[in-house]
């Protein structure tokens, strides 16, 4: 354990050196080591450069290279594929994906929850290149015409003997748009992002995109204790952690669920403690920041990003008076499923102090809640238009905690 810590320390220092656009947010107690997007400016642009893209994982990075790495196909499919064969013989595609940690915004819960106290830096958009999961399964003779309510479990090469890092997603989603990625923004996949290969699940919370991918297992249900041919515990990261639940409640381990969309789980009674699958609707202002110098009378471009997991952003509103009045922003730039949209609003700034907010709505008529509820309100806070305070601090998407305060000042007289 002590050794692991030290190894982690060196690893983090090396990542920080390679990523001057990020800063450290860590949680010693829980062993998580993460690096967050440093500044709001990241959210003023569509593509997030690798050096500004957050990193999040728990165990030391496993060693591996393209030439020796293999992926095991197990469960209802059988095979072993060298990564180099996948790269050479299967198609290569690119997908845009807004990767957001399910714990993004955790630091906005009051009272504080455990684990990494992210503010809102744990999100970024990259172009990932790789091979569709569909092509990989087909290469080992799997019939990809029917998902049949089955699940695909992805296992990370960072798994420990006593605990496996495994996540399950519906096979239908995997066949639809997921890829095994070996490139990021046109570069070979950096080691901290999963080199030599990771799963990318477009529009879904980051935890589903398993890095250092070593095994794909087609199963009738989600991963549970005893469902893998492995030693150690199997189900923690699917069934215990990354579940949205009130204080002091322990989620039940389910085999399968019908309602997959995260927000739909929050609103339905089928799943008592929702799993964090697709990303909740969210927006962030990237410019101006609190440091931007604005002179009264100036027209200021309020610019940012908005995303809604598998759904499409339909509208973004901006307020410059802490929510008293709202104005439609213009959506512009690239529009890819699973990736954020840019928005912009031209604001004529007058003198004084202003609180800027953004609020997104999607094509399902969902809108960001204003605030996070209290522990006492539990998950019912959703029905009152609040994001529910939850013990793990997952899925937060309220707009008030992400306000930007700007002051306009009279410019110094010209010399
Ligand atoms: N094998 C493995 N994959 C993992 C993790 C991990 O700890 N181990 N962390 C997950 C979490 S919680 C997130 S938010 C994303 C972050 O991806 P990134 O570091 O490339 O930004 O990776 C996911 N994939
Ligand atoms: Mo995460």
């Amino acid at each position: 354990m002590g050794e692991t810590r030290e190894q982690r320390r060196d690893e983090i220092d090396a990542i920080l050196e390679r990523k001057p656009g990020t800063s450290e947010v860590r949680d010693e107690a829980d062993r998580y080591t993460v690096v967050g997007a440093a500044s709001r400016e990241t959210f003023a642009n569509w593509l997030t450069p690798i050096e500004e893209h957050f990193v999040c994982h728990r165990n030391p990075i496993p060693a591996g290279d393209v030439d020796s790495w293999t992926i095991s196909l197990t469960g209802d499919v059988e095979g072993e594929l060298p990564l180099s064969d996948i790269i050479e013989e299967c198609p290569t595609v690119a997908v845009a994906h807004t990767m957001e940690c399910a714990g993004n915004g955790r630091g906005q819960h009051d009272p504080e929850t455990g684990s990494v106290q992210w503010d809102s830096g744990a999100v970024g958009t990259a172009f990932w290149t790789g091979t569709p999961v569909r092509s990989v399964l087909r290469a080992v003779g799997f019939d990809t015409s029917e998902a049949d309510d089955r699940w695909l479990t992805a296992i990370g090469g960072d798994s420990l003997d006593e605990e496996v890092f495994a996540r399950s997603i519906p096979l239908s989603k995997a066949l639809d748009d997921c890829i095994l990625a070996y490139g990021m923004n046109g570069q070979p996949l950096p080691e901290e992002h999963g080199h030599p290969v990771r799963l990318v699940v477009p529009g879904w919370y980051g935890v589903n995109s398993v890095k250092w991918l070593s095994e794909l297992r087609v199963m009738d249900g989600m991963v549970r204790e005893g469902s893998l041919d492995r030693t150690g515990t199997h189900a923690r990261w699917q069934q215990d952690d990354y579940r949205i639940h009130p204080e002091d409640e322990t989620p039940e381990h389910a085999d399968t669920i019908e309602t997959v969309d995260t927000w739909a789980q929050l609103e339905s009674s089928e799943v008592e403690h929702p799993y964090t699958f697709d990303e909740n609707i969210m927006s962030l202002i990237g410019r101006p920041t609190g440091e931007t110098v604005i002179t009264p009378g100036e027209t200021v471009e309020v610019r940012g990003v908005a995303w809604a997991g598998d759904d499409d952003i339909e509208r973004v509103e901006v307020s410059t008076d802490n929510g008293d009045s709202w104005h439609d922003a213009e959506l512009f730039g690239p529009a890819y499923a699973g990736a954020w949209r840019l928005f912009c609003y031209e604001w004529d700034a007058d003198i004084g102090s202003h609180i800027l907010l953004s609020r997104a709505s999607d094509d399902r008529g969902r809108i960001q809640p204003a605030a996070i509820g209290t522990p006492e309100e539990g998950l019912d806070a959703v029905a009152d238009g609040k994001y529910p305070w939850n013990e793990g601090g997952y899925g937060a998407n309220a707009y008030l905690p992400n306000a930007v305060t700007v002051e306009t000042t009279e410019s110094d007289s010209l010399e």
Side-chain angles (χ1 to χ4, degrees):
M1 185 75 174
E3 219 176 351
T4 308
R5 277 265 162 83
E6 257 169 53
Q7 198 181 340
R8 302 288 290 138
R9 187 64 254 168
D10 292 348
E11 193 186 292
I12 299 147
D13 288 343
I15 295 173
L16 283 166
E17 206 156 299
R18 288 196 294 274
K19 287 178 173 277
T22 66
S23 59
E24 189 177 338
V25 191
R26 64 198 306 243
D27 175 16
E28 277 285 351
D30 199 29
R31 243 176 65 195
Y32 259 108
T33 304
V34 291
V35 185
S39 59
R40 273 194 180 268
E41 278 105 84
T42 293
F43 310 119
N45 297 295
W46 188 78
L47 191 75
T48 307
I50 292 174
E51 65 266 25
E52 289 175 37
H53 197 290
F54 81 99
V55 171
C56 176
H57 55 262
R58 186 181 157 86
N59 298 326
I61 294 175
D65 56 64
V66 172
D67 294 329
S68 59
W69 196 267
T70 60
I71 295 174
S72 307
L73 290 309
T74 63
D76 293 350
V77 54
E78 220 176 289
E80 177 97 18
L81 283 177
L83 176 60
S84 52
D85 285 8
I86 295 176
I87 295 174
E88 276 157 36
E89 288 159 31
C90 293
T92 301
V93 299
V95 298
H97 164 51
T98 293
M99 179 93 68
E100 182 185 20
C101 179
N104 198 28
R106 182 184 285 129
Q108 299 166 350
H109 286 64
D110 180 19
E112 204 175 275
T113 67
S115 199
V116 187
Q117 296 298 303
W118 299 106
D119 186 23
S120 46
V123 58
T125 295
F127 255 117
W128 303 87
T129 44
T131 297
V133 169
R134 179 181 278 276
S135 307
V136 171
L137 290 178
R138 213 178 264 152
V140 289
F142 184 77
D143 176 6
T144 55
S145 60
E146 269 296 338
D148 292 328
D149 294 333
R150 282 181 290 184
W151 293 77
L152 184 74
T153 298
I155 300 170
D158 57 335
S159 293
L160 306 173
D161 289 341
E162 66 274 16
E163 188 181 86
V164 180
F165 187 90
R167 287 286 304 182
S168 308
I169 58 170
L171 182 59
S172 55
K173 170 70 177 174
L175 294 176
D176 184 31
D177 62 0
C178 297
I179 67 167
L180 305 194
Y182 30 81
M184 180 180 187
N185 289 353
Q187 304 289 318
L189 192 58
E191 61 174 32
E192 62 272 19
H193 291 293
H195 180 85
V197 64
R198 78 179 302 170
L199 182 65
V200 168
V201 184
W204 286 34
Y205 283 116
V207 68
N208 298 286
S209 291
V210 173
K211 303 195 269 194
W212 316 292
L213 182 73
S214 66
E215 180 179 340
L216 286 175
R217 190 174 181 85
V218 178
M219 301 164 58
D220 285 339
M222 288 185 261
V223 60
R224 302 180 66 170
E225 290 313 336
S227 60
L228 307 175
D229 291 329
R230 293 199 176 229
T231 57
T233 54
H234 299 166
R236 173 174 178 187
W237 302 105
Q238 182 80 11
Q239 303 281 7
D240 297 316
D241 285 47
Y242 292 94
R243 300 283 299 273
I244 300 172
H245 64 84
E247 207 164 16
D248 297 329
E249 286 187 25
T250 310
E252 289 205 9
H253 293 195
D255 210 22
T256 193
I257 54 172
E258 300 285 321
T259 313
V260 172
D261 180 279
T262 307
W263 197 265
Q265 290 179 64
L266 277 166
E267 288 182 325
S268 94
S269 54
E270 192 220 337
V271 185
E272 196 183 348
H273 300 140
Y275 293 82
T276 40
F277 290 143
D278 86 315
E279 293 159 14
N280 291 332
I281 185 164
M282 181 63 185
S283 66
L284 288 169
I285 292 170
R287 195 190 296 157
T289 72
E291 279 82 56
T292 311
V293 177
I294 299 168
T295 49
E298 191 184 330
T299 300
V300 179
E301 186 187 54
V302 180
R303 186 171 157 148
V305 288
W307 65 100
D310 280 339
D311 304 304
D312 290 334
I313 290 293
E314 199 158 84
R315 183 180 191 195
V316 176
E317 297 160 283
V318 167
S319 173
T320 57
D321 53 14
N322 198 25
D324 286 342
S325 61
W326 292 91
H327 314 274
D328 276 320
E330 189 190 328
L331 296 175
F332 71 105
Y336 291 94
W340 61 28
R341 295 295 315 272
L342 284 163
F343 68 82
C344 163
Y345 169 69
E346 307 254 308
W347 168 48
D348 295 321
D350 52 13
I351 195 153
S353 174
H354 308 272
I355 297 179
L356 274 46
L357 301 170
S358 66
R359 171 173 87 176
S361 358
D362 69 13
D363 59 347
R364 292 200 190 206
R366 292 170 177 166
I367 187 161
Q368 283 180 257
I372 299 178
T374 63
E376 293 70 37
E377 288 170 289
L379 303 195
D380 294 337
V382 169
D384 296 328
K386 289 178 218 162
Y387 190 76
W389 186 100
N390 64 100
E391 194 174 85
Y394 297 118
N397 68 341
Y399 61 77
L400 286 175
N402 296 298
V404 180
T405 304
V406 293
E407 315 269 346
T408 54
T409 48
E410 291 293 355
S411 56
D412 294 339
S413 54
L414 296 174
E415 285 161 47

